[in-house]
Amino acid sequence: MSLLKIQDLKVYFNARGKTVKANNSIDLEIRENEILGLIGETGCGKSILGRAIVGLLPDNVKIGGKIVYRSEDILNLSENGLRKIRGKNIGIILQNPSAALNPVLSIGNQISEIYRYHENMGKKEARIRTAKMLEMVGIDPKRMHEYPHQFSGGMKQRVMIAMGLALNPGLLIADEPTKGLDPTTKDKIIDLICELVINKNMSLLLITHDIGVAEKMCDRIAVMYAGEIIEIATIKNILSNPQHPYTQDLLNSLPKKGLNQTAGESPSLSSPPAGCRFHPRCRCIIGKCLKTHPQLMETEKGTSVRCFLYGNN
Amino acid sequence: MKILNNEINILKEAGNNRMAAIGGAIVIMLTLIAILASLLSPHDPFEQKLENRLLNPCFEYPFGTDDLGRCIFSRLIFGTRYSLAIGVTVVGITALVGTSLGIVSGYSRGIIDEIIMRIVDIVLAFPGIILALVIAGILGPSFLNVVIALSLTHWPAYTRLVRGLTLTLREMDFIEGAKALRASNIYIMRRHILPNCINPIIVLATLDIAHAIIFATALSFLGLGIQPPTPEWGSMLKAGIPYFRISPHLTFFPGTAIMVTVLAFNFLGDGLRDMIDPKINENILVSE
Amino acid sequence: MLKYILKRIFLVFFVVIGVTIVTFSTMHLAPGDPAEVIAVARYGDDLTQEQIDWVRVTEGFDSPVYIQYLKWIKHVMHFDLGRSLVTSHDILEEITIRLPATFKLAVLSLVISLCIAVPVGIVSAVKKNTVIDHLCMSAALLGVSTPNFWLGLLLIWLFSLTLNLLPSYGYGNFEHLVLPAITLGTSMAAITTRLTRSSMLDVLNQEYILTAKAKGLDEKTILLRHVLKNAMLPVITFAGLQIGFLLGGTVIVETIFAWPGIGKLLVDSIYARDFAMVQGCVLFIGILFAFTNLLVDITYAFLDPRIRYENT
Amino acid sequence: MTLLSIKNLKKYYFCGLFNKKEIRAVDGVDLEIKSGRTLGLVGNSGCGKTTVAKIILRLIEPTDGRIIFKEKDITKLRGRELKNLGQEMQIIFQNPETSLNPRMKIYDAILEPLRIHKLCSTDKEYEKILKLIEIVNLNQELLFRYPHELSGGQLQRVVIARILSLNPKFIVADEVTSMLDPLVQAQILNLMKDLQEKLGISYLFISHDMDVVEWMSDEIAVMDEGKIVDWK
């Protein structure tokens, strides 16, 4: 059964006269206790999709379409309704841990306030739950009274994870959880998230530009380019036989695959190219690509691609 | 996501350049009044007609006359010259001195930085107008002494602001890159650090002109600034106090003139600040 | 944390020495020969050259400047600021008599300023770009642009001349304190409101507020637990600094309202060219201000955990 | 022929209340870089690799040890020779966004090195800059824009063009692509490899990503806690 279904989601901003189409009719489904990876380059709108799900977008935004969480459309929930879901049903780990923690509150308080607010728990009981949570993410509970500036980058990331998982949400969204960490801490964080997600049988939406991390964690991968999803497939299919030319180039650009380069730059969201967004940089371009905009078509079981090479959409 | 943040920030502050426009318009109007003072004023500001003394505002004298029968309207117009002149000269000197000291102390970080910052602390140890008051009092009342008094006490605001900016700029890679090119320190300060400080300095200078005008009129109000008969708003205000009960307009018009001028510069400064650099807030400006 | 406080204490000591040097040197800036000024004050105008020379020797004006400075400092150490040139009363005594008047005015003005500024600043930040916000901000802008000496005159004209509810000058019961305190308090409130609002807006844009929302907390909890705690730090530091500005502000307000405080003493002694008294007042205010700054720094260190638990 | 070698390089920092606590950022490092070749330097963050790089470029003074560049000891170089050294050795930083002066147009940024060393008369500047941007395949239209209008990859190319204007023999690349997306990283690394073949530049390539270093370098030194622990 699908935990979260995103249907034709459109997220538009108007900035300096131009409308920025950050998310352009996105269809995506996250199943029960599955890890879905959302991969894309900087500025392709993947973080915005993550924040749109929990309604954390700035107020000058126009949102269309539906986001159904267990048969309840989140987008037309009232602010109170949405607030009930955040943290309880859908947790989110924001991108930059060193700025995302309140510098004047101890990390213990910042976690226990979730328990005291959502389940109006007593102070003592909340403290016990917080200690248990800190232990689970590998932080010594005795450091509960310390402040964010006394923790290293990796440790702050663990505090964010503890905050996201405090109320055992059904779905966890992790936005670039390993960015800026050195290799050893990165592996530790990856193992921690996988272990927690599996034994709490939750689903995880992992947002990252680092394919190596996605390989180690995800069951399924969705590749995003210029505000829209261009390929969805299981990790095995994506690695063994990527279909969309962009996914192929992305995988070939990995150091392991010889850093083969692709010309051009990723387009700006405010003035994307006509027709298929990737046509200016595509190797196997055909006439149709320049004018018409391809739809996301399902080719084999569970794999869908947005390209004219496959199926005659 | 980075691209989006930039665009949102710019959008948010677009509304405030209306403020800068209004402030700018009034400032330009005031400068024109100052320049064309002799053309605009209906009477000679120094000519005393004792027979029509303390007249209320009427057709002949739009703002009435003062205790010596001089036309207040004309004196106010000429007064613009002094206020703007003091504001601009004081800010010109303090911005120059303060900025260069700020860059040098921020960039060199060694003993020089310690010395400059200790001098700043000492000058700032005297709150607000006290030091300026004493210096003006001792040197004796005159235009030049007011400028000296205010300049000696106003420069630390710039030094603090610019030093803060230089400290952050100094850590950026493009300064290390310039050093790797073996560019001289002076070149780096002139070509890399100064251009990145110009905008915040402009904002601070605009707000500081407003500040300097208030301080200058305050000194004249206390009789330590520009002395009568020169038509300076502060001294006109002071001259109007003995006649406060019977003809309050003697104090009302100079007071409004000061407020309007200061308001204009504050408007301009606020508008510029929101457009350029919202980080400069009262803390740095008023702490001197 | 200890390192931070030790550094601040050393700095204050250094600043106080600086204050004494500046005060001493401003006196030497005065035109004319100090010995002659004292001689005139003591013996009247028609005096002979010997009297001036005798004064110069006894007062030690002939020795090099730094010796005079050291001698003066020795006196200051024993709380002896010397005698007024005009009334030849003891300077420190004159100041201490007037201290309560200035203190009362400063404290009441500070209370008025904070009681207006903090709530208004918070409300206009939370309700950004609404009618309330524009209203408060234009009032604050007007407040900042209105020189407090003119504001004082306006208040006198309104309250004591036209409505004559309150006395326009003098010192006595609470009634006399109202107008000066309002004048000083409101001009301070204008500056503090603008600072509170920009500090609040700054915190509202931080990422940890987004995290708080992501945890599902409601507006009120976020405002109290996260926003206020961070936003009030710069406001408290500025409130401390304000005590110093009030000392500066009193100079003008006390002159308008004939309020017998240190500010008025300073202005009157400048008129009377009584440089010894001026020197005493300036020294007193400078040192008082330096110590209030130290107090503010230390309280700030306790409030901000980033300094309290500073570890490399 | 070895272009550059370091002998027993040390850099100690002193901190704590009375500068008693001693931190050995670089503790006796020996390196050798042959001309036209790339030496990779790998290690976790905080192991001192950037400090070594900055010492070689004389941006930081070493506590001990010697730097030999083209058989000349440059550890204590001063004045004119030090300035000429600036033409021979250069550095590319990790974050492209802070590597260029935000107030300087791209055109001036690329020409700045030539203007500092006065190597090119103003009339020949335009022709020189066209050649430079052609090498790093940037299009002309970007020349009159400001750094904040360019993407990470484009900025890094501007930095490379700017350094090439002095045709240096040795470039330090300090985690050059760790902030860039995969595709852009591939473009920049391939560009650097071509430059090495065409212009015979040698690199000290610093990174914490082992695969990237293996692809780029001929020899690799692994650093930990200020010392070289492994050599491939």
Side-chain angles (χ1 to χ4, degrees):
Chain A
M1 214 285 276
S2 84
L3 179 69
L4 186 92
K5 217 166 172 13
I6 302 172
Q7 286 154 0
D8 191 20
L9 175 73
K10 290 190 178 61
V11 178
Y12 294 166
F13 293 86
N14 42 32
R16 267 205 302 235
K18 289 184 292 217
T19 42
V20 177
K21 295 193 177 66
N23 288 157
N24 201 348
S25 68
I26 287 186
D27 294 288
L28 194 63
E29 191 204 347
I30 304 175
R31 302 195 190 97
E32 293 281 355
N33 56 56
E34 174 203 38
I35 297 180
L36 174 69
L38 187 61
I39 296 181
E41 293 193 304
T42 317
C44 73
K46 56 186 188 305
S47 291
I48 293 160
L49 176 58
R51 285 168 63 172
I53 296 172
V54 272
L56 283 178
L57 290 173
D59 29 34
N60 67 341
V61 79
K62 290 198 290 299
I63 301 184
K66 289 228 279 311
I67 302 180
V68 178
Y69 175 76
R70 283 205 175 107
S71 72
E72 193 190 6
D73 181 4
I74 297 179
L75 282 188
N76 48 34
L77 266 178
S78 68
E79 179 58 21
N80 280 345
L82 195 57
R83 199 176 296 136
K84 290 275 177 307
I85 286 196
R86 276 193 213 129
K88 213 161 162 24
N89 305 81
I90 305 179
I92 186 164
I93 302 175
L94 288 173
Q95 205 175 77
N96 164 359
S98 44
L101 289 172
N102 186 339
V104 291
L105 271 178
S106 70
I107 58 149
N109 284 349
Q110 296 191 46
I111 297 175
S112 62
E113 72 181 346
I114 306 172
Y115 294 116
R116 294 185 57 214
Y117 178 77
H118 270 289
E119 291 164 14
N120 39 52
M121 237 182 232
K123 222 179 175 130
K124 230 171 64 42
E125 205 191 329
R127 203 171 292 280
I128 300 160
R129 281 286 293 276
T130 311
K132 204 152 61 59
M133 197 66 225
L134 284 177
E135 230 166 309
M136 208 182 283
V137 291
I139 299 178
D140 169 10
K142 282 200 289 307
R143 295 191 65 183
M144 194 195 293
H145 306 293
E146 287 183 23
Y147 288 84
H149 69 280
Q150 295 167 292
F151 288 86
S152 71
M155 295 301 271
K156 282 189 200 139
Q157 191 61 42
R158 289 167 189 264
V159 172
M160 295 295 293
I161 294 167
M163 256 194 253
L165 298 174
L167 296 168
N168 303 337
L171 165 67
L172 179 69
I173 300 170
D175 191 348
E176 300 270 10
T178 58
K179 188 161 193 174
L181 302 178
D182 56 73
T184 38
T185 349
K186 190 181 271 193
D187 296 339
K188 285 199 209 107
I189 295 288
I190 292 171
D191 303 340
L192 174 68
I193 295 179
C194 291
E195 178 213 329
L196 287 174
V197 163
I198 288 155
N199 66 33
K200 281 175 182 280
N201 53 53
M202 294 171 4
S203 304
L204 171 70
L205 173 64
L206 173 74
I207 300 171
T208 181
H209 74 283
D210 185 338
I211 299 155
V213 171
E215 249 176 85
K216 292 187 188 118
M217 294 176 81
C218 304
D219 310 329
R220 263 188 333 136
I221 301 275
V223 180
M224 215 167 153
Y225 185 79
E228 50 187 22
I229 292 187
I230 53 160
E231 183 164 357
I232 308 175
T234 60
I235 187 76
K236 205 164 42 49
N237 292 357
I238 285 267
L239 293 178
S240 54
N241 114 58
Q243 311 212 308
H244 195 288
Y246 174 69
T247 322
Q248 288 156 4
D249 291 349
L250 206 55
L251 292 173
N252 293 340
S253 74
L254 287 177
K256 291 200 291 299
K257 295 270 177 54
L259 286 165
N260 315 317
Q261 57 177 323
T262 318
E265 294 282 324
S266 58
S268 92
L269 292 172
S270 42
S271 51
C276 165
R277 300 281 188 263
F278 187 55
H279 82 260
R281 307 170 71 184
C282 187
R283 280 177 281 98
C284 24
I285 191 166
I286 53 176
K288 236 167 144 180
C289 302
L290 293 169
K291 297 185 293 309
T292 43
H293 183 68
Q295 294 309 326
L296 196 63
M297 300 295 295
E298 184 143 6
T299 51
E300 302 139 16
K301 183 75 193 67
T303 309
S304 31
V305 179
R306 187 191 291 269
C307 178
F308 289 122
L309 297 176
Y310 309 86
N312 42 27
N313 47 40
Chain B
M1 197 44 198
K2 174 182 93 63
I3 301 168
L4 192 75
N5 286 348
N6 291 358
E7 278 164 3
I8 289 180
N9 295 347
I10 296 161
L11 176 82
K12 210 165 37 178
E13 298 311 336
N16 288 55
N17 51 25
R18 247 188 310 88
M19 260 173 92
I22 300 165
I26 304 174
V27 164
I28 293 165
M29 198 186 72
L30 287 167
T31 354
L32 284 179
I33 292 172
I35 297 163
L36 310 172
S38 39
L39 301 177
L40 292 171
S41 62
H43 301 88
D44 168 3
F46 296 93
E47 186 208 355
Q48 299 173 0
K49 291 206 192 74
L50 291 181
E51 65 280 11
N52 37 30
R53 193 169 162 275
L54 294 177
L55 289 178
N56 285 339
C58 54
F59 175 69
E60 173 72 23
Y61 297 99
F63 283 174
T65 60
D66 64 9
D67 52 344
L68 298 171
R70 289 170 297 193
C71 163
I72 293 180
F73 183 63
S74 332
R75 284 177 67 77
L76 280 190
I77 290 176
F78 274 84
T80 332
R81 288 188 175 169
Y82 293 96
S83 291
L84 289 186
I86 288 181
V88 171
T89 14
V90 165
V91 166
I93 300 168
T94 48
L96 214 64
V97 170
T99 306
S100 22
L101 284 178
I103 290 182
V104 164
S105 83
Y107 187 73
S108 63
R109 288 287 293 278
I111 313 279
I112 305 167
D113 178 31
E114 253 346 280
I115 297 169
I116 294 176
M117 284 324 282
R118 292 298 74 73
I119 299 171
V120 164
D121 290 344
I122 292 166
V123 173
L124 292 186
F126 298 93
I129 194 165
I130 291 207
L131 201 55
L133 190 71
V134 169
I135 296 171
I138 291 166
L139 293 178
S142 81
F143 180 88
L144 185 65
N145 294 347
V146 166
V147 170
I148 294 169
L150 291 182
S151 307
L152 284 179
T153 53
H154 260 254
W155 60 271
Y158 294 91
T159 309
R160 255 198 199 170
L161 171 72
V162 171
R163 176 173 178 271
L165 292 169
T166 313
L167 286 178
T168 31
L169 283 169
R170 207 175 168 288
E171 303 312 320
M172 301 258 264
D173 293 336
F174 70 91
I175 301 285
E176 291 279 310
K179 278 187 189 147
L181 283 171
R182 297 296 155 213
S184 71
N185 286 339
I186 298 134
Y187 174 88
I188 291 177
M189 285 194 242
R190 187 172 53 82
R191 279 292 278 154
H192 286 294
I193 292 186
L194 190 58
N196 284 292
C197 299
I198 288 292
N199 281 357
I201 292 172
I202 293 169
V203 173
L204 182 59
T206 328
L207 293 172
D208 207 25
I209 292 180
H211 227 76
I213 291 176
I214 286 192
F215 271 37
T217 39
L219 286 179
S220 319
F221 176 77
L222 294 171
L224 299 166
I226 300 171
Q227 293 300 305
T230 17
E232 201 272 348
W233 294 341
S235 50
M236 284 168 73
L237 200 66
K238 177 176 166 59
I241 293 180
Y243 309 91
F244 195 50
R245 271 177 214 286
I246 37 168
S247 45
H249 66 270
L250 257 64
T251 54
F252 179 70
F253 289 117
T256 326
I258 299 171
M259 194 188 71
V260 164
T261 316
V262 171
L263 197 64
F265 279 105
N266 275 330
F267 241 70
L268 182 61
D270 273 6
L272 287 175
R273 170 179 56 190
D274 288 345
M275 277 204 291
I276 298 172
D277 187 354
K279 281 192 292 301
I280 306 173
N281 57 30
E282 257 57 23
N283 219 326
I284 297 174
L285 221 186
V286 180
S287 56
E288 101 274 15
Chain C
M1 160 79 169
L2 193 60
K3 204 169 146 207
Y4 175 82
I5 293 183
L6 283 178
K7 187 165 180 295
R8 301 312 298 181
I9 290 172
F10 167 73
L11 284 183
V12 159
F13 175 73
F14 196 85
V15 164
V16 165
I17 294 173
V19 163
T20 53
I21 295 171
V22 166
T23 324
F24 189 80
S25 49
T26 41
M27 289 314 118
H28 276 269
L29 214 60
D33 164 12
E36 193 184 338
V37 170
I38 294 178
V40 161
R42 278 204 199 130
Y43 309 108
D45 287 342
D46 51 6
L47 48 84
T48 59
Q49 187 52 30
E50 295 81 23
Q51 280 164 332
I52 300 171
D53 297 342
W54 189 73
V55 162
R56 180 171 292 118
V57 168
T58 50
E59 293 294 328
F61 285 117
D62 49 6
S63 49
V65 180
Y66 65 88
I67 292 182
Q68 286 178 36
Y69 171 69
L70 292 176
K71 225 165 62 145
W72 179 64
I73 279 288
K74 201 152 56 53
H75 285 297
V76 169
M77 288 299 179
H78 306 96
F79 296 102
D80 158 22
L81 295 179
R83 298 205 158 283
S84 148
L85 297 179
V86 173
T87 59
S88 73
H89 294 153
D90 175 70
I91 291 176
L92 192 59
E93 219 177 279
E94 292 279 334
I95 292 177
T96 33
I97 303 164
R98 289 179 170 69
L99 191 56
T102 300
F103 185 72
K104 261 190 270 180
L105 177 59
V107 166
L108 187 58
S109 311
L110 184 64
V111 165
I112 292 174
S113 149
L114 291 181
C115 292
I116 298 173
V118 175
V120 168
I122 292 172
V123 164
S124 58
V126 169
K127 300 209 172 359
K128 189 171 189 297
N129 288 342
T130 59
V131 176
I132 305 165
D133 179 24
H134 292 310
L135 218 63
C136 301
M137 278 308 116
S138 3
L141 194 61
L142 211 61
V144 167
S145 312
T146 318
N148 51 21
F149 47 88
W150 187 48
L151 181 66
L153 291 177
L154 282 184
L155 290 177
I156 292 178
W157 180 71
L158 187 63
F159 286 100
S160 56
L161 295 189
T162 349
L163 307 174
N164 73 60
L165 290 167
L166 294 162
S168 71
Y169 64 90
Y171 179 73
N173 43 38
F174 184 72
E175 247 181 16
H176 293 85
L177 182 57
V178 170
L179 278 189
I182 291 176
T183 317
L184 205 50
T186 41
S187 65
M188 270 301 123
I191 302 169
T192 323
T193 314
R194 284 157 60 96
L195 175 79
T196 317
R197 177 173 180 271
S198 71
S199 164
M200 283 286 291
L201 290 180
D202 196 36
V203 169
L204 281 168
N205 293 333
Q206 295 287 339
E207 284 212 12
Y208 50 81
I209 301 300
L210 204 61
T211 326
K213 281 203 189 101
K215 289 188 226 171
L217 306 175
D218 69 339
E219 276 305 311
K220 206 163 57 54
T221 331
I222 294 177
L223 198 62
L224 291 177
R225 275 180 68 83
H226 290 276
V227 180
L228 282 188
K229 250 189 166 200
N230 282 286
M232 282 311 122
L233 283 176
V235 173
I236 291 164
T237 334
F238 185 66
L241 288 176
Q242 261 189 45
I243 299 166
F245 303 156
L246 291 175
L247 291 174
T250 50
V251 166
I252 296 167
V253 169
E254 285 174 4
T255 320
I256 304 171
F257 290 94
W259 184 262
I262 301 175
K264 188 169 189 326
L265 175 65
L266 179 62
V267 173
D268 296 344
S269 51
I270 290 179
Y271 289 153
R273 302 196 75 73
D274 175 357
F275 294 119
M277 183 63 86
V278 168
Q279 190 176 47
C281 291
V282 169
L283 189 66
F284 187 84
I285 293 174
I287 291 174
L288 191 64
F289 190 42
F291 279 108
T292 38
N293 284 349
L294 175 64
L295 216 63
V296 165
D297 282 344
I298 293 177
T299 38
Y300 186 84
F302 274 105
L303 292 176
D304 186 342
R306 282 164 289 196
I307 301 173
R308 199 181 329 138
Y309 299 101
E310 201 186 352
N311 57 353
T312 47
Chain D
M1 190 270 279
T2 54
L3 177 74
L4 176 123
S5 62
I6 327 171
K7 298 274 184 303
N8 186 14
L9 207 63
K10 287 195 177 70
K11 178 64 186 176
Y12 298 162
Y13 287 101
F14 302 93
C15 57
L17 212 53
F18 300 101
N19 285 357
K20 274 207 302 310
K21 228 161 77 188
E22 184 189 74
I23 295 176
R24 297 172 171 232
V26 176
D27 193 4
V29 164
D30 296 281
L31 284 179
E32 230 177 64
I33 301 169
K34 298 189 181 47
S35 103
R37 318 276 288 168
T38 304
L39 170 67
L41 195 56
V42 184
N44 263 335
S45 50
C47 72
K49 42 191 197 293
T50 310
T51 321
V52 166
K54 286 194 172 169
I55 293 172
I56 294 173
L57 282 156
R58 296 288 314 282
L59 293 174
I60 309 176
E61 291 313 314
T63 320
D64 192 359
R66 286 188 11 262
I67 313 160
I68 321 284
F69 181 68
K70 286 195 262 264
E71 283 94 33
K72 218 166 51 181
D73 182 343
I74 60 162
T75 329
K76 292 281 176 288
L77 219 54
R78 276 282 172 282
R80 175 107 324 262
E81 282 128 354
L82 185 57
K83 181 147 193 188
N84 296 344
L85 190 68
Q87 295 174 22
E88 312 269 351
M89 297 165 130
Q90 276 308 321
I91 186 165
I92 308 174
F93 288 103
Q94 171 178 2
N95 183 352
E97 260 115 45
T98 57
S99 304
L100 291 169
N101 178 351
R103 277 281 172 288
M104 201 189 259
K105 284 201 171 71
I106 301 297
Y107 181 88
D108 302 316
I110 294 179
L111 286 175
E112 186 185 24
L114 291 171
R115 287 176 178 157
I116 291 177
H117 291 274
K118 300 189 179 60
L119 292 175
C120 173
S121 60
T122 39
D123 49 9
K124 289 217 283 307
E125 270 178 3
Y126 193 68
E127 168 211 317
K128 175 83 174 161
I129 200 166
L130 289 181
K131 230 171 353 85
L132 283 172
I133 56 171
E134 202 248 331
I135 300 172
V136 291
N137 41 52
L138 271 172
N139 65 43
Q140 255 187 344
E141 182 218 86
L142 298 176
L143 279 182
F144 298 98
R145 296 244 197 88
Y146 281 96
H148 65 273
E149 296 164 83
L150 269 64
S151 77
Q154 288 165 330
L155 286 173
Q156 210 66 311
R157 267 196 268 275
V158 168
V159 168
I160 293 171
R162 180 179 131 94
I163 287 170
L164 288 181
S165 64
L166 296 171
N167 37 57
K169 291 289 166 294
F170 170 69
I171 295 181
V172 171
D174 184 3
E175 308 227 15
V176 176
T177 55
S178 64
M179 305 272 281
L180 301 178
D181 294 315
L183 282 180
V184 180
Q185 168 176 295
Q187 288 167 354
I188 299 290
L189 293 179
N190 278 290
L191 170 65
M192 284 171 72
K193 205 115 205 213
D194 304 343
L195 292 176
Q196 184 167 51
E197 274 127 33
K198 266 190 269 166
L199 306 169
I201 301 172
S202 34
Y203 291 114
L204 174 63
F205 190 83
I206 297 175
S207 170
H208 59 251
D209 182 337
M210 203 48 182
D211 308 332
V212 168
V213 172
E214 258 151 26
W215 186 81
M216 269 300 280
S217 350
D218 309 311
E219 292 165 271
I220 300 172
V222 179
M223 247 181 106
D224 192 19
E225 305 293 336
K227 291 191 185 59
I228 303 281
V229 292
D230 187 358
W231 190 278
K232 290 209 201 79

